[in-house]
Amino acid sequence: MRCYWLFLCWIGLNGCFASVIQAATPLRIITVNEPPANYMVDGVPQGYAVDIVRALQHRINNQTPIEVMPEDRALRTADRQANVLLFSFSRTPERETKYIWLANIMRKSWQLFVLPDVGISLTDFTHVQALDGVAVVQGDIREKYLRAQLRNLVAVVSPQQMLDMLQTRRVQAMVSSQAELDTLWQDHRFTGDKPIAAFEFGHSDVYLLFSLGTDRAIVEQW
């Protein structure tokens, strides 16, 4: 009987210690470079979603800096750490139980863009298979979807690299949205022929979300 009570006390103490460690873990706020929702201008995070997060920070008196990193790294960080706020990421059935979904902030279009002189009629993925490379941002939900559709995907680290590769004809198409492309074109002063949308192949709802294990008080505060 004594061993049983000692075991219960040990479990209780470990639970308390775990709660203290969890609460003591500082909050991290992480986003990715995906205009117009969130992107960098002169080293400073900007965008529609960034404005939402900063407004929430102001209301709860939170000064946590916003970190910007590649999508794969952002997701890996949230998968391994508690107390991580991520934005803006698509909500999918596969991700449903992996995160705590806080708020839907926008809908992201899935569109294929080409240069005006591509010379190929593109109406579905059968035609896209014939292209010499389709650029997509690595870790983006659209990359995962297209892996099952296309064999000619070229994964890149940023939307800027994707557009640069299309303009220099290292690929023949890129995956983006009209709003994202328009922001890139304006803010980075690209020249030449602006890509045009060939067709839209889907969309996803984009959220603010927390990593599993995040302190309940943090979630409720936000």
Side-chain angles (χ1 to χ4, degrees), residues 139-156:
D140 188 281
I141 189 64
R142 293 168 291 196
E143 182 204 12
K144 183 173 180 60
Y145 174 83
L146 289 173
R147 287 292 177 194
Q149 310 287 338
L150 301 172
R151 298 184 301 275
N152 53 348
L153 281 186
V154 178
V156 301

Side-chain angles (χ1 to χ4, degrees), residues 86-101:
L86 281 184
F87 72 98
S88 309
F89 283 83
S90 296
R91 187 171 187 169
T92 66
E94 182 184 50
R95 293 175 176 176
E96 185 65 33
T97 59
K98 296 179 65 176
Y99 306 100
I100 301 168
W101 301 93

Side-chain angles (χ1 to χ4, degrees), residues 2 14 37 42 47 51 63 118 122 147 155-156 177 206 217:
R2 182 184 178 192
N14 273 277
D42 297 327
D51 290 343
Q63 286 84 40
V118 65
L122 300 172
R147 287 292 177 194
V156 301
S177 70
V206 176

Side-chain angles (χ1 to χ4, degrees), residues 52-72:
I52 292 175
V53 170
R54 284 184 174 145
L56 289 170
Q57 287 185 284
H58 178 73
R59 292 192 63 175
I60 64 175
N61 193 29
N62 176 276
Q63 286 84 40
T64 303
I66 297 174
E67 305 174 54
V68 180
M69 61 180 66
E71 295 202 24
D72 276 354

